[in-house]
Amino acid sequence: MAERVYHLVDPERWPKGGDPYAPESLQTEGFLHASFSHQLAGTLENHYDPRRDETPTSLWLLELDGAALSADLRVEASRGGAGFPHLYRALHEGEVLRWWSLERRGQGWALPCLSATAEEDEPEGAPGAP
């Protein structure tokens, strides 16, 4: 998969001690939700509305290793019929290429400037999960 793939996670839900990350959606829907860079703002708006009390105050934006996940990563129709990446298994910390912390800012989130190529990004951490 040539396009960069991202997953948003509440830091409180990330497993400690190197265990695989298996969000609730893996049990209920059979896959982990992910987004391409151009879909992130919509994903934040739809799933992490800062006006809702249950929305965490911070998130981690994880860039996933599409090459390592390719056998279990599928692009499928989702919100509005657009193709979104779905991972059909748990995620291991070694499959995270880079990550950023996101903080709620008023009525929204401040996304980092994500370049077309990873070499131009300024992540907080790499490689592996936070």
Side-chain angles (χ1 to χ4, degrees), residues 66-114:
L69 303 173
S70 64
D72 301 305
L73 192 63
R74 301 181 205 150
V75 177
E76 300 173 315
S78 189
R79 187 174 65 238
F84 279 79
H86 296 151
L87 178 62
Y88 280 83
R89 65 169 174 77
L91 178 66
H92 300 270
E93 68 179 38
E95 296 165 331
V96 175
L97 295 175
R98 282 167 283 286
W99 60 272
W100 297 260
S101 292
L102 304 182
E103 300 296 325
R104 284 183 3 187
R105 302 240 169 109
Q107 299 297 315
W109 296 90
L111 274 170
C113 180
L114 299 171

Side-chain angles (χ1 to χ4, degrees), residues 16-95:
K16 309 296 183 242
D19 290 335
Y21 169 65
E24 185 178 319
S25 68
L26 198 56
Q27 298 301 314
T28 59
E29 300 174 71
F31 57 86
L32 176 151
H33 291 267
S35 300
F36 296 118
S37 61
H38 66 275
Q39 298 168 323
L40 285 170
T43 298
L44 282 164
E45 182 179 320
N46 284 309
H47 299 287
Y48 297 100
D49 184 341
R51 295 169 291 198
R52 293 194 309 244
D53 290 338
E54 67 274 10
T55 299
T57 57
S58 65
L59 293 170
W60 286 337
L61 172 63
L62 309 177
E63 181 180 352
L64 309 183
D65 185 347
L69 303 173
S70 64
D72 301 305
L73 192 63
R74 301 181 205 150
V75 177
E76 300 173 315
S78 189
R79 187 174 65 238
F84 279 79
H86 296 151
L87 178 62
Y88 280 83
R89 65 169 174 77
L91 178 66
H92 300 270
E93 68 179 38
E95 296 165 331

